[in-house]
Amino acid sequence: MELRVITLRVNGRRHQIAAPPNATLLQVLRNRGYTDVKNGCEKGDCGACAVLLGDRAINSCLVLAWQAEGAEIVTDAGLGTLDNPHPLQSAFADAGAVQCGYCTPGMVISAKALLDKNPTPSRQEIREAISGNLCRCTGYSQIIEAIQTCEAKTLPAERLEDVE
Ligand code: FES
Ligand code: FES
């Protein structure tokens, strides 16, 4: 299949990528090293592959990579690192909301999208926001607690840089 060159902006970095036109954003991101974006079901059921596309949390397995051209994509790793975690990531760790961790990047992304719009959500609003994210380990209580104890923060501008 003929490859199509697309430009994606991920966690403040610009990438030019040649990919088949039917490649999903999930496939392209993981091939590019963004393995914090997890591959769970590849059909929109689990939320493990969630990323921010602009201000919306989307399942990257349901979006073709070329459809994300021109948008700002942020993954869990773009929010914070082990040394400099995002408050949401710290809150998940502090609340014991991480067990195997497979769902965590997608959960954090869904929570970020929620808190950016609504910094003081109710438990019900949190439940709705993460209703597309499946967790097989925690029972969700600690996840909801983590999100409730956290305030939204935006991606620090100093992380934004252009690379090819
Ligand atoms: S891998 Fe995308 S929703 Fe499950
Ligand atoms: S912590 Fe294991 S799936 Fe959520």
Side-chain angles (χ1 to χ4, degrees):
M1 188 181 300
E2 199 173 322
L3 300 184
R4 173 173 175 167
V5 177
I6 56 175
T7 303
L8 294 181
R9 199 164 165 83
V10 188
N11 298 342
R13 295 172 180 243
R14 192 161 60 88
H15 299 285
Q16 283 207 312
I17 298 165
N22 63 351
T24 65
L25 182 58
L26 170 63
Q27 291 166 337
V28 167
L29 287 174
R30 286 187 60 84
N31 284 343
R32 201 66 188 197
Y34 294 96
T35 51
D36 56 307
V37 185
K38 299 303 181 197
N39 185 348
C41 64
E42 284 192 292
K43 53 183 183 170
D45 288 340
C46 74
C49 65
V51 300
L52 290 172
L53 192 66
D55 61 359
R56 288 191 314 130
I58 57 101
N59 288 329
S60 59
C61 68
L62 296 182
V63 173
L64 296 175
W66 62 263
Q67 293 177 306
E69 275 200 293
E72 196 70 47
I73 300 162
V74 178
T75 75
D76 179 58
L79 296 178
T81 62
L82 266 183
D83 292 338
N84 186 23
H86 186 278
L88 261 171
Q89 294 164 332
S90 300
F92 269 63
D94 293 346
V98 181
Q99 288 187 24
C100 82
Y102 206 79
C103 71
T104 309
M107 286 283 186
V108 168
I109 288 294
S110 292
K112 176 77 166 63
L114 169 67
L115 293 178
D116 283 348
K117 291 190 183 78
N118 177 4
T120 55
S122 66
R123 288 182 77 81
Q124 184 55 32
E125 288 169 327
I126 294 172
R127 276 197 203 94
E128 285 166 17
I130 61 169
S131 61
N133 297 82
L134 301 186
C135 177
R136 298 169 66 170
C137 309
T138 67
Y140 298 96
S141 298
Q142 298 99 317
I143 292 171
I144 293 169
E145 181 190 328
I147 297 169
Q148 231 175 0
T149 57
C150 188
E151 290 181 1
K153 292 277 196 301
T154 55
L155 185 67
E158 60 267 24
R159 294 240 180 84
L160 301 177
E161 55 180 313
D162 269 334
V163 295
E164 289 299 328

